[in-house]
Amino acid sequence: MKNWFTSVAAIAVVAGAGVLVAAELKSGLQVGSEPPAFEGKDATGPAAGTTLCYRCRYGGSPVVTIFTRKIDDNVTSLIKKVDEQVAKNGEKKMKAFVVLLTNDPDKAEPMLKQVAEKNKIKNVPLTIFDGPKGPSDYELSDDANLTVMMWVKSDVKVNHAFADGKFDAKAVDAVVKDTQKILN
């Protein structure tokens, strides 16, 4: 009888773990993937007003890329904290950029400029991708409002994906803490 209870408990734990794995939101390139080139319009960075590939421009540097479908207070907080990390890790050539996925790039550009100015974002270009699905090679989930990928030397080391309403202050801190994984 004792073995039967142990077996049932083990099955319940495995089944429960399976539910957690199935519920996890996957979006974007997974750890170990190589990020391909893609172009977006720079709204606030050094190439503001032009279309370019920041993935290409940053080469093998440690890079944080934030794909988002909306800019809210928590996303703004993340951008500000990543901006601070980039400034603090200049000697390690850390880079970052934000990609707003939108159907209305003309409306998005002045909004991104305002966000950068109001929050004194100096080291993280805010860019626009025309289309809410994002670059097809990046496999961004329609269910993810925010996908953050970090890579170094064209090797994805970190991936975080959040459904709408699931990205909070605690998640901001967890994502920022993971920047250390691309700096070592």
Side-chain angles (χ1 to χ4, degrees), residues 1 18-19 28 51 62-64 72 77 100 116-117 119 131 144 169 183:
M1 191 71 159
V19 169
T51 299
V63 177
V64 177
D72 60 17
S77 175
L100 179 62
E117 185 176 320
N119 295 285
L183 294 173

Side-chain angles (χ1 to χ4, degrees), residues 60-64 81-82 84-96 150-153 155 157-158 175-184:
S61 296
V63 177
V64 177
K81 289 182 179 190
V82 168
E84 292 168 7
Q85 289 297 311
V86 171
K88 198 163 71 173
N89 290 288
E91 75 285 349
K92 295 181 180 180
K93 300 185 183 344
M94 183 180 185
K95 308 288 185 192
M150 300 180 206
W151 60 72
V152 63
K153 297 180 183 166
D155 184 24
K157 302 288 186 187
V158 176
V175 170
V176 172
K177 184 178 179 186
D178 272 357
T179 60
Q180 295 308 306
K181 293 178 179 179
I182 60 171
L183 294 173
N184 296 330

Side-chain angles (χ1 to χ4, degrees), residues 33-54:
S33 298
E34 182 176 336
F38 74 95
E39 292 189 341
K41 184 175 183 186
D42 190 350
T44 69
T50 65
T51 299
L52 75 155
C53 174
Y54 270 110

Side-chain angles (χ1 to χ4, degrees), residues 86-137:
V86 171
K88 198 163 71 173
N89 290 288
E91 75 285 349
K92 295 181 180 180
K93 300 185 183 344
M94 183 180 185
K95 308 288 185 192
F97 63 106
V98 174
V99 182
L100 179 62
L101 308 172
T102 180
N103 277 329
D104 195 351
D106 293 334
K107 185 178 178 184
E109 188 170 2
M111 183 269 298
L112 289 176
K113 288 178 181 181
Q114 184 180 24
V115 167
E117 185 176 320
K118 178 181 177 187
N119 295 285
K120 297 178 176 57
I121 307 297
K122 303 283 186 214
N123 305 294
V124 178
L126 306 182
T127 70
I128 302 161
F129 187 87
D130 190 358
K133 291 200 175 284
S136 61
D137 292 343

